[in-house]
Amino acid sequence: MRICKIGEEVLSLTCEPVKPEEIDDNFRNTLNEMFDTMISANGVGLAAPQVGIAKRFFVLMSDDDVKRVFINPEITKTSAETVAYEEGCLSIPGESESIVRPVKVSVTALNENGKRFTIEDADGLLARIIQHENDHLNGVLYIDRGDEEFKKEIIAKFKKRAEKAAAKAAARAAKKASIEAKIAAKNKKGK
């Protein structure tokens, strides 16, 4: 799966809930693909909008190496105590920032079989990932919670990268069209 990068519209959307009838074998295949994508990108969490799906679900694998699926998650409680932690994101590769979040979080969600579960007072890396990935479902990136200047820098940097990539793609397409036109002209002459 292709991971969407900052600046792509899907990352700024509030996602739609997953309907119970959507949780089928095809949906579970998507979840498996998301785990594979996340692991191959050395991530610990991946939300549906990060792979272009504007639906409320994410996958994660915390420091206990347990694969967890959260469908239509609801954070029901957060601790008053907070902690700063260096966060990164697969949609903003190569960047990180210290972000303050609650130390503990309770969440209710559906699993990959549509069964409701609750995690009470998750803490450590698990709590951090749940909050980070849940933010994605609301169109919020970690840089939206940090330093405003850092956010501006990152947005400008990735916009410039996207413009360069688009220019390269346009140049490749033009070169390909030119070659195809020359081949077509040569074939026409040969007839």
Side-chain angles (χ1 to χ4, degrees):
M1 299 177 107
R2 187 183 76 79
I3 298 174
C4 298
K5 302 295 186 278
I6 183 173
E8 294 185 54
E9 184 183 8
V10 70
L11 294 176
S12 63
L13 300 176
T14 299
C15 297
E16 294 292 319
V18 175
K19 296 175 183 151
E21 62 270 17
E22 293 177 296
I23 304 172
D24 59 12
D25 287 342
N26 284 335
F27 187 85
R28 284 183 280 279
N29 286 338
T30 297
L31 295 171
N32 288 331
E33 285 181 53
M34 287 175 67
F35 274 117
D36 292 344
T37 301
M38 177 192 80
I39 292 165
S40 69
N42 294 316
V44 292
L46 189 63
Q50 291 183 275
V51 291
I53 304 168
K55 291 283 192 169
R56 298 190 73 77
F57 65 95
F58 61 82
V59 301
L60 68 78
M61 196 163 66
S62 187
D63 44 5
D64 58 5
D65 288 338
V66 175
K67 290 182 176 180
R68 291 183 174 92
V69 172
F70 294 76
I71 302 168
N72 298 336
E74 293 176 39
I75 292 180
T76 56
K77 183 175 74 174
T78 57
S79 64
E81 183 185 359
T82 60
V83 65
Y85 187 85
E86 198 75 15
E87 285 189 33
C89 182
L90 296 177
S91 293
I92 312 173
E95 303 295 337
S96 65
E97 182 182 14
S98 183
I99 302 296
V100 176
R101 293 190 189 266
V103 171
K104 292 184 179 182
V105 64
S106 295
V107 62
T108 300
L110 301 176
N111 68 13
E112 64 275 12
N113 297 311
K115 301 286 185 227
R116 183 160 299 285
F117 70 93
T118 299
I119 298 176
E120 293 287 343
D121 295 324
D123 61 2
L125 186 59
L126 178 59
R128 176 71 49 167
I129 301 168
I130 290 169
Q131 293 173 80
H132 178 109
E133 299 308 329
N134 195 68
D135 273 354
H136 277 297
L137 307 184
N138 298 313
V140 177
L141 298 174
Y142 80 89
I143 60 171
D144 296 322
R145 296 193 175 277
D147 178 71
E148 194 60 37
E149 284 305 309
F150 180 76
K151 178 181 174 178
K152 286 178 187 172
E153 273 178 42
I154 295 300
I155 290 170
K157 182 191 253 184
F158 278 83
K159 184 178 181 187
K160 193 173 184 178
R161 280 187 197 174
E163 288 168 353
K164 278 185 179 179
K168 282 184 180 180
R172 279 194 302 272
K175 186 173 183 176
K176 182 180 177 188
S178 172
I179 291 168
E180 288 172 351
K182 287 177 185 175
I183 291 169
K186 190 174 183 180
N187 287 342
K188 192 176 181 183
K189 267 188 181 178
K191 285 186 178 180

